[in-house]
Amino acid sequence: TTAMNSMGSAIAHEINQPLTAAIQYLGGCERLLDGREPCEDIAEAMQLARDSVERVADIIRRVRQMTTKGEV
C-alpha cells in the first residue's frame, strides 16, 4: 500500500504541474483579452478549455485521495 501511495502521489504531482500551468495560461489570456473588442468564439473556447483542464485536475485529486486512503 505504501508503494501505491507513493506512486499515486508522484503521478498526481507530475500531471498537476502542466494542468496548473494550463489553467494559469488560460487565465492570463482572459486578462489580456479583457477590455478589448469581444470575440465570443475565443472567449467560449478558452472557457471550455479551462473547464476541461479543471475537470482533469479534479479527477487526479480524487484518484490521489483514493490511493492515499488505500481504496485501490
Side-chain angles (χ1 to χ4, degrees):
T1 309
T2 303
M4 186 62 105
N5 292 348
S6 296
M7 185 175 69
S9 291
I11 290 170
H13 177 75
E14 291 299 320
I15 292 173
N16 278 326
Q17 291 285 347
L19 291 176
T20 300
I23 291 169
Q24 296 300 321
Y25 284 128
L26 286 165
C29 289
E30 290 169 350
R31 285 188 295 282
L32 288 171
L33 292 174
D34 192 33
R36 296 182 184 206
E37 188 174 325
C39 179
E40 291 181 31
D41 291 340
I42 293 173
E44 183 180 352
M46 286 176 41
Q47 186 58 53
L48 289 171
R50 177 178 262 221
D51 291 347
S52 294
V53 170
E54 289 176 349
R55 186 169 150 233
V56 171
D58 187 49
I59 291 168
I60 297 301
R61 271 191 294 278
R62 289 194 314 252
V63 168
R64 185 169 185 222
Q65 287 173 347
M66 286 183 348
T67 60
T68 301
K69 294 178 182 177
E71 297 175 8
V72 176

